């Protein structure tokens, strides 16, 4: 009986790990690494921070309750992800004082061997003016998965409820409309 439980526990862990890897692979299928050499920055000089490693996106978002949050799951090598960054920079500048917080969640550490230093350099090169988190483990994405591809973007109201979810590149006007309705 004890041996059967040990085998079942190992089997469950194996299935969960395989499922996480499969979900991540599906999520990343829409991105093409050949576009990674293109710059997306606006060219303006802004203060750029450091990426912060988080173990749980949902727990980290708790600290931002009371703000409207645009949570963007992306990677430095993902061309479609990079296309949205200039819009997020503009929106952060325009609405931060009213309670907007753009948060980019870089999947680089769990995809293609990226790391926080790579993300930091990318932030500097592209003058990213909003919060960037990096995740080192797919379990950090439990409540906010990128199951259908990246970029996946969640719009979260001041109470911490997800009100919109987008998969793929969206025009700046879409996010601005969502933000205005929640501020």
């Amino acid at each position: 009986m004890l041996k059967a439980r040990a085998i079942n526990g190992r089997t469950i862990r194996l299935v969960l790990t395989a499922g996480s890897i499969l979900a991540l692979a599906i999520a990343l299928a829409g991105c093409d690494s050949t576009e990674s050499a293109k710059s997306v920055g606006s060219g303006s000089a802004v203060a750029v921070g450091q990426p912060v490693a988080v173990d749980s996106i949902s727990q980290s978002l708790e600290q931002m309750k009371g703000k409207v949050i645009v949570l963007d799951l992306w990677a430095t090598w993902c061309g479609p992800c990079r296309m949205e960054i200039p819009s997020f920079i503009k929106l952060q500048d325009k609405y931060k004082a009213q309670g907007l917080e753009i948060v980019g969640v870089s999947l680089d550490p769990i995809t293609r061997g990226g790391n926080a230093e790579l993300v930091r350099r990318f932030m500097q090169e592209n003058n990213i003016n909003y919060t960037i988190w990096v995740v080192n483990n797919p379990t950090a994405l439990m409540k906010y998965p990128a199951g259908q591809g990246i970029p996946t973007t969640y719009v979260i109201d001041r109470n911490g409820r997800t009100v919109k979810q987008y998969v793929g590149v969206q025009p700046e006007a879409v996010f601005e409309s969502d933000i205005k309705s929640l501020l």
Side-chain angles (χ1 to χ4, degrees), residues 11-118:
T11 302
I12 290 169
R13 283 192 297 274
L14 179 63
V15 168
L16 288 175
T17 301
S20 294
I21 292 169
L22 179 61
L24 187 59
I26 291 168
L28 303 175
C31 290
D32 179 5
S33 64
T34 60
E35 298 192 39
S36 64
K38 296 179 183 174
S39 176
V40 296
S42 62
S44 63
V46 295
V48 178
Q50 300 286 325
V52 175
V54 297
D55 294 324
S56 169
I57 292 171
S58 57
Q59 287 178 356
S60 298
L61 286 174
E62 286 294 318
Q63 301 169 17
M64 295 182 179
K65 263 203 174 151
K67 295 185 178 195
V68 172
I69 300 166
V70 175
L71 181 73
D72 181 50
L73 307 181
W74 67 288
T76 60
W77 48 263
C78 171
C81 300
R82 296 165 65 103
M83 290 172 61
E84 288 184 325
I85 291 173
S87 296
F88 292 145
I89 291 169
K90 288 179 196 171
L91 292 169
Q92 180 72 12
D93 279 341
K94 189 172 183 178
Y95 294 104
K96 183 171 181 68
Q98 296 174 44
L100 172 68
E101 192 69 41
I102 306 268
V103 178
V105 179
S106 172
L107 303 179
D108 284 272
I110 57 175
T111 63
R112 303 195 185 177
N115 59 41
E117 176 57 25
L118 172 80

Side-chain angles (χ1 to χ4, degrees), residues 90-162:
K90 288 179 196 171
L91 292 169
Q92 180 72 12
D93 279 341
K94 189 172 183 178
Y95 294 104
K96 183 171 181 68
Q98 296 174 44
L100 172 68
E101 192 69 41
I102 306 268
V103 178
V105 179
S106 172
L107 303 179
D108 284 272
I110 57 175
T111 63
R112 303 195 185 177
N115 59 41
E117 176 57 25
L118 172 80
V119 175
R120 185 194 63 75
R121 283 194 314 266
F122 183 87
M123 290 172 67
Q124 287 181 332
E125 291 166 4
N126 294 286
N127 296 317
I128 293 178
N129 62 348
Y130 52 89
T131 301
I132 298 290
W133 293 339
V134 293
V135 292
N136 296 312
N137 188 326
T139 60
L141 304 171
M142 291 298 233
K143 189 175 175 187
Y144 299 96
Q148 296 179 4
I150 58 173
T152 294
T153 308
Y154 296 87
V155 179
I156 302 167
D157 71 11
R158 292 180 186 270
N159 296 314
R161 292 183 302 243
T162 299

